[in-house]
Amino acid sequence: MSTSAIIMLIVAIVIVWGGLVGAIVHLRRHPERPEDDAAPAQPAA
């Protein structure tokens, strides 16, 4: 494997795993609030 191929492999791994880590960190700091499907229905006017 050539040097440029190894560098590109490392760059691709950092992009993919870095995106995964970034997404996990973002979700831990800003968790999604569950949608409340059992909310009382508003009567039609």
Side-chain angles (χ1 to χ4, degrees):
M1 210 184 250
S2 67
T3 305
S4 61
I6 293 172
I7 291 172
M8 289 303 296
L9 176 68
I10 292 170
V11 167
I13 289 171
V14 167
I15 289 172
V16 170
W17 288 103
L20 177 65
V21 170
I24 291 170
V25 168
H26 178 73
L27 283 174
R28 294 213 17 117
R29 289 184 181 169
H30 308 286
E32 294 181 1
R33 294 189 179 114
E35 295 181 16
D36 190 10
D37 291 335
Q42 296 290 334

